[in-house]
Amino acid sequence: MIQFNHVSKRFPDGYMALSNIDLTIETGEMAFVTGHSGAGKSTLLKLIAAIERPTSGSITINGQNIAQLKPAALPLLRRKIGFVFQDHKLLFDRNVFENVLLPLQISGFDRNTAASRVRAALDKVDLLKKEKVMPVTLSGGEQQRLCIARAVVHRPTILIADEPTGNLDTVYAKDIMAMFYSFHQVGVTVLIATHDASLLEDNHHRIIALQHGKLAA
Amino acid sequence: MIKTWLGQHWFVFNLTLKRLVSEPVANLLSILVMGIAISLPAGIYTLVENLHTLSGYTQTAPQISLFMKQDSTRQDMDNIRVRLEENTRVAGYLYVPKDQALYQLQLDNGFDKAVQNLAHNPLPDAFIVDAENISTDVIEQLLTEMKTWPEIEHVQFDSAWAERLAALLDFGRIFVFILFTMLSIAIVAIMFNTIRLQILTRQKEIEVSKLIGASDSFIRRPFLYFGAIQGFAGGVTAWLIIVYVIQVLNDEIRTIAGLYALDLQLQPPDHGDIISLLFFAAWLGWLGARVSVASHLRHIELR
Ligand SMILES: Nc1ncnc2c1ncn2[C@@H]1O[C@H](COP(=O)(O)OP(=O)(O)OP(=O)(O)O)[C@@H](O)[C@H]1O
Ligand SMILES: [Mg+2]
């Protein structure tokens, strides 16, 4: 369970990106975060992985207040989370395989287990044939799928995706969404930020709408 | 568990080697700089040690003369003999009876006239003792001990040159120590800077690793390996430089020594010294990297 209690985030330049957010996301829930550009969607997601720290209020994950975690405890928190970054954050001096391998190296998997998991993840996003390729040569959509593979390869219990379908055509976007649903179905908490209205059509999951850093009524 | 741990380290080791090879010129130059910096004190150390060994073998090693009392008996001589033989600080000794000493005086110095006029032999019986080692401590201890022996009239030691040599060796060692300290600091500084540049170029990789849960030790590891491996390579370079220089010097010495029919050769550092040298160099590289990583990784911001 992820809980926001009166959470505000003011950036050092004084800009109030989020104010007084109260929010509960149940374990295993799937939810969408929507809102205009600059509404604070990315900031909200980053707070969960402690990439940004709140200015006030508390954020608890399974009862643990992550606003109070010591820097040394952050790695363990982040390893439980899979994060699809809005700007991908791929490493361009490593090939596709090595990019997906990184989270497993960080968690200390042995080579063989790691290699088979990487291939399984690449297979899911249909990039297995490109495992030796450098990311620069991938299309925007392929880079996005690579980023998704890296986010799920270590089987996180929380999956956070910031605009995961931004560069994808409708067919791929549907495939990717189907992947997120399947993670949700095996009990993973899934949180997706998007302003792609088509993703929200005929969808029975919760929509968390942000407007200028506040929860829209 | 252990296998995973070893696997991770093996991976980082390979990664580091790849990085070293990917920038061959720059890395070879830094290794060369480190090698030269280490070879200076290590080379002088080798020379000083050689001088030390040589001085132990010279025939003119310091000798202590023990002069017996004029009225000493055969029993007194035997007492001294036993004590000299039992003393571990004595390498050897020579007994010079007074008759022989007088005869020698006649032969050597043309004193024969003067000696013939003597009513009786004024010279005492004597022992000439070789100290086991020329260090001033050993000799000092021997001298104080011998002065307490009742049969002995006088203990004589020409300490001037031995002390001079010992002082020179001490000076050499202190000089080597100072040089080692200063150049070690220089190597740590070089490595500090090298790693700073590396961290700048690997900023994105560090940031991404942190974002997906890398611990500080995971992020530090490749840099520490880089420092240690480059330091080790610097140590190997220093070793090669020293071996080469000794070879060149030995060729030179052989020519000169040949003229005097001497058999002098400088010895290269022994295995223990080489191993210490390599590990010390690796440790210096590691230390520079460690300090650099500690002061630069903190400044990497997550976005
Ligand atoms: N590091 C920062 N320093 C200052 N202001 C920031 C920083 N990061 C974000 N902001 C501001 O906070 C606001 C919310 O940013 P955020 O990235 O959360 O928006 P978003 O909803 O994800 O927008 P988009 O849909 O364009 O990605 C924006 O106005 C942005 O300019
Ligand atoms: Mg955003």
Side-chain angles (χ1 to χ4, degrees):
Chain A
M1 193 168 70
I2 304 168
Q3 253 180 321
F4 282 64
N5 291 311
H6 306 300
V7 173
S8 296
K9 173 65 189 179
R10 183 197 295 274
F11 281 105
D13 61 5
Y15 185 81
M16 201 69 175
L18 290 174
S19 36
N20 206 22
I21 304 287
D22 279 300
L23 184 65
T24 303
I25 297 153
E26 298 296 337
T27 301
E29 188 180 349
M30 179 160 180
F32 289 86
V33 181
T34 64
H36 59 89
S37 179
K41 303 183 292 294
S42 298
T43 308
L44 183 87
L45 298 185
K46 284 176 185 171
L47 283 171
I48 298 173
I51 296 167
E52 296 286 1
R53 314 302 293 264
T55 324
S56 63
S58 71
I59 302 163
T60 56
I61 298 179
N62 300 332
Q64 188 181 38
N65 186 353
I66 61 164
Q68 284 172 355
L69 281 185
K70 294 206 176 66
L74 295 181
L76 277 180
L77 168 72
R78 292 187 185 140
R79 283 178 216 171
K80 285 185 214 146
I81 298 173
F83 210 116
V84 180
F85 299 97
Q86 188 167 13
D87 55 351
H88 301 171
K89 299 204 184 294
L90 297 172
L91 294 177
F92 288 99
D93 58 349
R94 305 185 181 201
N95 67 25
V96 165
F97 183 91
E98 288 164 338
N99 265 280
V100 182
L101 184 63
L102 187 61
L104 300 181
Q105 285 173 333
I106 286 170
S107 306
F109 279 82
D110 73 77
R111 284 176 73 82
N112 293 335
T113 320
S116 62
R117 282 217 191 173
V118 169
R119 298 224 162 81
L122 283 175
D123 193 31
K124 262 191 195 149
V125 297
D126 207 7
L127 278 178
L128 194 49
K129 279 189 278 318
K130 302 221 167 184
E131 63 168 335
K132 296 261 158 49
V133 159
M134 298 308 265
V136 243
T137 65
L138 296 179
S139 72
E142 284 171 330
Q143 291 189 9
Q144 202 134 30
R145 284 184 276 143
L146 175 55
C147 199
I148 293 168
R150 188 184 63 188
V152 301
V153 70
H154 58 300
R155 299 181 189 161
T157 54
I158 300 171
L159 180 56
I160 295 173
D162 199 350
E163 304 286 357
T165 58
N167 287 309
L168 300 179
D169 60 37
T170 333
V171 179
Y172 260 129
K174 283 231 166 77
D175 278 358
I176 293 300
M177 285 316 294
M179 251 182 71
F180 285 133
Y181 284 127
S182 70
F183 276 105
H184 163 58
Q185 258 148 21
V186 296
V188 178
T189 309
V190 182
L191 206 54
I192 300 166
T194 183
H195 50 231
D196 185 350
S198 70
L199 287 184
L200 304 174
E201 281 164 13
D202 54 60
N203 130 47
H204 53 280
H205 294 287
R206 176 142 71 115
I207 293 172
I208 299 160
L210 282 174
Q211 216 165 19
H212 301 294
K214 294 194 175 74
L215 286 177
Chain B
M1 234 355 242
I2 297 276
K3 210 175 137 218
T4 314
W5 183 84
L6 278 180
Q8 281 173 7
H9 281 265
W10 178 241
F11 169 80
V12 178
F13 181 74
N14 279 315
L15 184 78
T16 312
L17 286 186
K18 256 186 237 155
R19 285 183 188 171
L20 274 168
V21 175
S22 71
E23 270 186 278
V25 181
N27 286 319
L28 277 180
L29 281 178
S30 355
I31 290 171
L32 194 64
V33 167
M34 276 196 284
I36 292 170
I38 300 169
S39 71
L40 265 172
I44 296 175
Y45 170 80
T46 311
L47 290 180
V48 169
E49 287 309 297
N50 265 290
L51 195 59
H52 180 77
T53 335
L54 277 181
S55 68
Y57 287 130
T58 45
Q59 271 81 44
T60 49
Q63 292 179 328
I64 302 168
S65 305
L66 293 182
F67 298 107
M68 307 290 292
K69 290 195 168 132
Q70 273 291 349
D71 55 358
S72 53
T73 62
R74 190 163 209 80
Q75 181 59 44
D76 292 336
M77 305 299 172
D78 289 340
N79 288 346
I80 299 292
R81 272 206 185 87
V82 170
R83 278 192 217 122
L84 288 176
E85 252 147 46
E86 283 174 351
N87 197 316
T88 52
R89 288 191 279 265
V90 171
Y93 68 92
L94 180 71
Y95 171 58
V96 185
K98 53 184 168 193
D99 297 341
Q100 193 192 325
L102 192 66
Y103 180 66
Q104 203 70 35
L105 195 64
Q106 263 174 302
L107 282 188
D108 286 357
N109 303 341
F111 280 132
D112 41 351
K113 281 265 167 52
V115 171
Q116 275 158 19
N117 289 336
L118 289 171
H120 64 96
N121 185 351
L123 296 175
D125 291 309
F127 287 90
I128 296 170
V129 179
D130 286 322
E132 170 248 350
N133 164 329
I134 64 152
S135 90
T136 35
D137 281 355
V138 168
I139 289 181
E140 212 60 55
Q141 283 165 359
L142 261 180
L143 290 179
T144 5
E145 192 182 332
M146 287 167 168
K147 277 176 188 155
T148 64
W149 295 349
E151 301 87 347
I152 300 295
E153 173 75 41
H154 180 61
V155 180
Q156 185 183 313
F157 175 61
D158 179 19
S159 63
W161 88 264
E163 271 170 13
R164 247 176 259 142
L165 181 62
L168 191 69
L169 288 177
D170 282 349
F171 174 79
R173 290 204 178 104
I174 291 170
F175 182 67
V176 165
F177 178 76
I178 292 172
L179 212 57
F180 244 126
T181 313
M182 290 192 334
L183 289 169
S184 299
I185 294 171
I187 288 168
V188 170
I190 294 171
M191 192 49 75
F192 182 89
N193 220 30
T194 310
I195 296 296
R196 188 181 68 89
L197 290 176
Q198 279 216 354
I199 289 175
L200 284 180
T201 57
R202 309 213 158 265
Q203 202 148 0
K204 175 130 193 246
E205 176 184 316
I206 295 167
E207 189 204 332
V208 172
S209 303
K210 271 194 168 184
L211 283 176
I212 58 183
S215 62
D216 285 349
S217 70
F218 180 92
I219 290 170
R220 259 187 246 132
R221 208 175 289 147
F223 298 106
L224 300 184
Y225 265 84
F226 187 91
I229 291 175
Q230 216 176 59
F232 190 83
V236 172
T237 311
W239 173 32
L240 295 179
I241 291 174
I242 292 170
V243 168
Y244 177 72
V245 168
I246 283 185
Q247 200 156 18
V248 170
L249 288 179
N250 270 343
D251 287 347
E252 213 46 42
I253 290 172
R254 210 169 291 130
T255 325
I256 300 170
L259 296 177
Y260 294 92
L262 288 170
D263 183 24
L264 287 181
Q265 285 288 283
L266 295 174
Q267 296 302 314
D270 63 30
H271 293 309
D273 284 343
I274 290 165
I275 290 169
S276 319
L277 173 78
L278 296 183
F279 277 91
F280 184 64
W283 180 76
L284 283 181
W286 177 89
L287 183 68
R290 184 72 185 76
V291 176
S292 190
V293 161
S295 65
H296 296 119
L297 279 187
R298 263 183 292 138
H299 302 306
I300 292 182
E301 294 283 323
L302 298 185
R303 270 177 294 116

